[in-house]
Each structure stands twice: as C-alpha cells, then as structure tokens.
Amino acid sequence: MHSRQINNHNEKIKEITLLEALILVLTANGTPVLASWLLGQHLAYPVDLKRSTSDGNRWLGDSKNIRGIVLSTIATALAAYMLGYDWKLGGIIGLLAMTGDIISSFIKRRMGMPVSSQAPGLDQVPESLLPLAVCASPLGLQWYQVLILVGVFWLLELLLSRILYALHIRKQPY
C-alpha cells in the first residue's frame, strides 16, 4: 500500500498544472509583502544585519528580512500541501524564490540603486526563475513552460503590485 501511495504521489507531481506552479511562486513572493503589511517591522530582522559594503551601500536593505524568508517558506509549503503536493517541495520553492529575491536585491545595491527602487525584470526574473528552474523536474515542467511561467509571473507581479499599492498593502506601486 505504501508504494502505491508513493506512486500516486509521484504521478500527482508529474501532473502539476502551470496554474498550480504559478500559485506556488506567487505565494512565495507575496507572503513577505503581506507579512510586512500585517506585522510592520515586528520580527523583521534584516538578513544583512544592516551591514554596508565599502561603497557605503547596504548589502541588501531592510526589506530583505529573516521573517520574510521563514514565512515565505512556510506559506509555500502549506500551499503545496493544500494543492496536493509534497510540502517539502513547496518549502524548497519558497526558499529558492527568496534566494532569487535576495540575489536581485544584492545586484541592485551593487549597481548603486536605492533600497526599494524599481528594476523591471531584475525584480521579477530571479525570484521566479530560480525556483522554477531548480524544481522543474520534480514539478514535471519543460524548459519552455518554465520560461512561460516566468513571463506570466513578471506581468502578474507588475499588475498585482499596483493593486496592492492601491489597497495600501504595498508601500511602492511596483
């Protein structure tokens, strides 16, 4: 019976829809925004410990915090479980999305861009491409599907950011 459950579970992973994969990436990236709105700065310890490089710019900035990483990982694990997938896969997607977000923030700081500044593409691609590319095989995604999802995420993130800004949930319209 146990092997049947494993086989059924593996079949379910191979049947993930593009919408479900998109939901997981949106959950991962949206959770820190909602946490900031609900909790303000409570428990928002910056990943970079407020350290700066020799050029005086912060490594990342206050918006990249441990609370966001932890809550994103947990929320995405729960979302995966609720969609019928392995919660561990969801946790990995959440963690990789936050890693991509941190990478883009690091690059923006090295480019001299201020914290919370807009960089179209750089703000969306790493946080969606990294989890989808790394988890493409367990998600049963082909490379072209990963690219489609990254593009759809990019467009949705721009639209949702404006909506969340209008609802006073997000501090910036991007």
Side-chain angles (χ1 to χ4, degrees), residues 32 75 82 134 138 172:
M82 289 171 44
V134 170
Q172 301 286 340

Side-chain angles (χ1 to χ4, degrees), residues 9 12 16 20 23-24 27 74-91:
H9 181 70
K12 178 68 172 172
I16 194 166
E20 290 168 330
I23 288 169
L24 294 175
T27 299
I74 292 169
T76 311
L78 288 171
Y81 180 77
M82 289 171 44
L83 289 171
Y85 301 101
D86 186 354
W87 65 269
K88 291 178 265 182
L89 179 61

